[in-house]
Amino acid sequence: MKHKNSLSSLHFDHRFTTSLPADSCLEPHSRQVFSSCFSWVKPMKMSDPTLLIHAQEVADLLGLSEQDCLSELFKNVLSGHDLLDDMRPYAMCYGGHQFGSWAGQLGDGRAMNLGEVVNAQAEHWSLQLKGAGPTPYSRGSDGLAVLRSSLREFLCSEAMFHLGVPTTRALSLCLTGDLVSRDMFYDGHAKDEQGAVVCRVAPSFLRFGNFQLFGARKDYDTLKKLLDYTIQAHFPHLLQDKANSVSVYAAWFSEVCDLTQHMIVHWMRVGFVHGVMNTDNMSILGLTIDYGPYGWLEAYDPDWTPNTTDAEYRRYAFDQQGDISCWNLIQLANAIAPLVDDVSALQARVDAYRADYHQVWATMMGQKLGFVHQHHQEDDDLVQALLSLLSCVETDMTIFYRCLANIELQQTAEQQLAVIEDAFYDVSLLTEADQQRWCAWFESYATRLEKEAVDDGQRRIQMNTVNPKYVLRNYLAQMAIDKLEVGDMSLLHDLLEVLRHPYEEQTGKAMFTQKRPDWARDRRGCSMLSCSS
Ligand code: AMP
Ligand code: MG
């Protein structure tokens, strides 16, 4: 019997494009677009689309079977080569602050939304192709993406999801069959790379920058339309208890603060560094979005950034992410302030954010250490002492917390230090004084743990639910890219599979938990990345 492809019967809702003003110009050339939330676009025809990998769990959300995903139609549609009859592709218009300065209009320069799929559970899932050709927001660039960055986006979105970090999802990774020229390190050495398209999936791809652009242009009419739409479509509960539309905006901002904080604290928990926290890369749903030159802490270094463009000022370094999220929220508050009568409510929310952030972060750190109950001052001191020790000699963050779960309370401090020894890159670098500091820390830690009414085994289980064993180590992503570039897909598939269960001990997967090898220390793509993709 012929397979009936569910892809062709997906149900689309076009509420974004039917509710909001469209750019009346249908031409693809780069331009400033005013009083419009989006422009209609067409994906490019590709030479030879092929599907490299898909995430079945994301396909399941849309009601697509494995067989649907392996079809001709799937690879053609998910690479942008063909459109389904009901798809209405558009690029969103937004602006943003880049590295602290207002950059004006940016917009979806290499992303195209295909529409929102409404699944059997009545959930809305927006589909978006990244790398399917230029749009009016491409600003002279090609609107394309290359394999290495697309693979990084595909794998990392799925890894983050399984780690429990709010994120956009990735349905598929396709090769286009076309070559794309990229100067990876902006040093005049452009080279042809394989073109690729990722299909991202999220309830919405709206960013802080969508609201900021209209605020900056004093186009309060369009700003109000976008805000009312957003609340209606994505925060409808806010309309139930608030009759007055002005206070609804402040309530909305407050909720965006909550969602953002929740996401950032998860980043800090798993050691993720986004790398480009510009306001155009901040989702209003608190989803990790726009995987570019991101990275994972291997050796714990709070000042680390993977982004070469940020190497000098380290604005988006690991430890800055909480403060920067607050700065970004202030820009969002400024954008909507003209629509809010009581601006002091926005100010008060931002003030609360700073205090709350520390509290939520401290609770999360306590959980990483196995504390169920909080003892504020004492725990703060213990955490600060630990973070200072972790950065004193190179110590692998992920391995450290997994080893820490294995200590036993009846062991001596020296024995406990031996339990975490595997986390040090070079244990011989620990001086006598370092060892004494570690032992002193273990003594305080053990005293603190005695206040928790759990035994060693229970504590280990609890800690292993918040401290992952498997993360997308920078060098592993690079190895998957290197293999794929010579046609070997095995590591990509193995990584996706391992990263689906990041907290479980998996037999035969030790190679995915290894500290960064020496060859990767200064290798481009492993320790530093550029935005060029
Ligand atoms: P990003 O650093 O990925 O957040 O991108 C910042 C802005 O540059 C966004 O407006 C992107 O759409 C745009 N952009 C980045 N790369 C390209 C490209 N290859 N072609 C067109 N626009 C791009
Ligand atoms: Mg972006």
Side-chain angles (χ1 to χ4, degrees):
M1 202 174 80
K2 194 167 180 308
H3 160 236
K4 184 174 174 319
N5 198 325
S6 304
L7 194 57
S8 31
S9 44
L10 285 180
H11 173 58
F12 283 92
D13 180 354
H14 297 293
R15 57 185 178 167
F16 187 84
T17 49
T18 51
S19 311
L20 292 167
D23 176 11
S24 56
C25 175
L26 299 180
E27 300 303 320
H29 63 270
S30 288
R31 58 180 177 269
Q32 291 292 303
V33 173
F34 294 98
S35 311
S36 312
C37 292
F38 66 94
S39 303
W40 297 111
V41 293
K42 288 196 186 75
M44 255 167 59
K45 286 282 174 201
M46 310 301 177
S47 296
D48 182 19
T50 45
L51 175 71
L52 285 177
I53 191 165
H54 78 281
Q56 187 53 44
E57 281 127 348
V58 183
D60 291 341
L61 289 176
L62 307 175
L64 300 176
S65 68
E66 180 103 32
Q67 208 181 353
D68 297 330
C69 296
L70 298 178
S71 66
E72 233 1 67
L73 183 65
F74 185 86
K75 72 173 189 197
N76 285 339
V77 170
L78 278 305
S79 62
H81 185 70
D82 281 342
L83 287 173
L84 299 174
D85 287 347
D86 276 349
M87 286 176 167
R88 306 269 182 277
Y90 66 94
M92 282 191 196
C93 183
Y94 56 79
H97 276 89
Q98 297 190 315
F99 298 95
S101 304
W102 177 243
Q105 178 184 299
L106 297 165
D108 286 332
R110 59 176 159 178
M112 293 183 189
N113 300 275
L114 299 173
E116 283 178 60
V117 170
V118 185
N119 68 9
Q121 294 75 43
E123 295 165 340
H124 283 65
W125 291 103
S126 233
L127 305 189
Q128 189 182 73
L129 302 182
K130 189 165 171 184
T135 77
Y137 308 100
S138 296
R139 296 177 294 145
S141 295
D142 54 15
L144 302 174
V146 295
L147 178 56
R148 64 184 151 83
S149 54
S150 305
L151 178 147
R152 284 168 46 82
E153 170 134 22
F154 177 88
L155 271 182
C156 200
S157 347
E158 288 310 285
M160 292 284 266
F161 171 78
H162 293 292
L163 283 164
V165 185
T167 177
T168 60
R169 304 291 302 270
L171 171 62
S172 54
L173 169 62
C174 291
L175 280 178
T176 62
D178 295 303
L179 293 177
V180 175
S181 173
R182 282 289 180 275
D183 183 357
M184 185 173 169
F185 279 91
Y186 309 128
D187 60 1
H189 294 95
K191 99 177 195 239
D192 281 345
E193 300 189 43
Q194 297 182 73
V197 175
V198 169
C199 178
R200 312 197 278 200
V201 178
S204 166
F205 291 96
L206 281 166
R207 301 133 192 276
F208 291 10
N210 291 77
F211 301 85
Q212 283 186 280
L213 184 62
F214 302 121
R217 289 176 170 169
K218 302 197 180 350
D219 178 357
Y220 303 131
D221 185 35
T222 317
L223 176 64
K224 184 170 184 335
K225 283 182 190 154
L226 179 63
L227 198 45
D228 288 342
Y229 167 82
T230 303
I231 292 171
Q232 181 82 52
H234 301 290
F235 299 80
H237 52 280
L238 295 179
L239 296 171
Q240 277 157 20
D241 30 70
K242 302 273 187 313
N244 168 344
S245 79
V246 172
S247 61
V248 167
Y249 297 154
W252 176 75
F253 177 70
S254 179
E255 195 151 326
V256 177
C257 288
D258 287 341
L259 294 167
T260 304
Q261 179 182 73
H262 181 75
M263 169 185 78
I264 304 281
V265 171
H266 276 295
W267 290 359
M268 304 306 285
R269 174 174 65 83
V270 298
F272 176 78
V273 190
H274 183 285
V276 206
M277 286 178 70
N278 293 334
T279 56
D280 53 303
N281 291 338
M282 297 293 295
S283 143
I284 51 109
L285 296 182
L287 305 174
T288 313
I289 191 171
D290 277 12
Y291 291 89
Y294 68 81
W296 294 81
L297 287 191
E298 286 160 336
Y300 179 80
D301 175 1
D303 200 30
W304 185 70
T305 173
N307 187 351
T308 49
T309 315
D310 197 27
E312 190 176 350
Y313 298 110
R314 299 187 178 265
R315 179 180 173 86
Y316 299 141
F318 179 67
D319 226 16
Q320 297 300 313
Q321 299 186 117
D323 282 351
I324 288 292
S325 66
C326 185
W327 191 91
N328 288 343
L329 284 160
I330 293 170
Q331 310 317 312
L332 179 62
N334 287 339
I336 64 163
L339 300 185
V340 179
D341 269 356
D342 182 11
V343 175
S344 66
L346 299 179
Q347 182 62 53
R349 185 63 188 83
V350 167
D351 293 343
Y353 186 86
R354 290 180 227 271
D356 275 9
Y357 178 85
H358 181 76
Q359 200 54 51
V360 176
W361 175 84
T363 303
M364 176 278 289
M365 289 303 291
Q367 287 165 351
K368 283 182 84 67
L369 295 180
F371 308 155
V372 176
H373 306 101
Q374 289 187 57
H375 295 269
H376 301 294
Q377 188 54 48
E378 188 187 347
D379 289 358
D380 268 4
D381 294 346
L382 202 62
V383 166
Q384 287 313 326
L386 172 64
L387 296 181
S388 144
L389 280 167
L390 286 177
S391 43
C392 116
V393 299
E394 268 192 312
T395 313
D396 192 279
M397 173 175 161
T398 305
I399 298 176
F400 169 76
Y401 286 106
R402 286 299 280 212
C403 289
L404 187 67
N406 294 331
I407 67 155
E408 290 168 20
L409 274 185
Q410 43 122 44
Q411 289 172 317
T412 63
E414 288 75 14
Q415 288 169 326
Q416 290 167 346
L417 179 56
V419 174
I420 62 140
E421 203 176 276
D422 186 37
F424 298 117
Y425 275 76
D426 181 353
V427 70
S428 72
L429 293 177
L430 276 189
T431 63
E432 193 72 28
D434 293 333
Q435 292 180 36
Q436 279 171 11
R437 281 174 67 208
W438 267 112
C439 287
W441 185 84
F442 272 113
E443 273 161 22
S444 318
Y445 181 49
T447 308
R448 170 64 183 84
L449 283 180
E450 276 158 11
K451 295 187 182 156
E452 300 285 335
V454 290
D455 63 28
D456 291 336
Q458 290 167 317
R459 186 178 66 252
R460 179 177 316 124
I461 291 169
Q462 186 269 322
M463 287 173 72
N464 286 350
T465 62
V466 290
N467 297 318
K469 171 118 183 171
Y470 303 93
V471 296
L472 182 57
R473 290 172 176 276
N474 309 315
Y475 77 90
L476 290 173
Q478 187 57 42
M479 281 169 66
I481 293 167
D482 291 344
K483 286 202 176 224
L484 201 54
E485 284 180 344
V486 295
D488 179 351
M489 315 232 305
S490 56
L491 189 51
L492 169 62
H493 282 273
D494 288 352
L495 268 172
L496 179 63
E497 195 47 40
V498 166
L499 294 169
R500 287 176 64 231
H501 307 285
Y503 299 98
E504 288 172 22
E505 298 287 334
Q506 302 179 41
T507 44
K509 304 295 176 194
M511 75 162 280
F512 298 100
T513 62
Q514 302 300 305
K515 292 185 276 262
R516 178 199 56 219
D518 266 350
W519 62 260
R521 183 177 285 273
D522 297 313
R523 163 98 197 264
R524 290 175 171 194
C526 296
S527 58
M528 49 186 172
L529 292 129
S530 74
C531 293
S532 156
S533 50

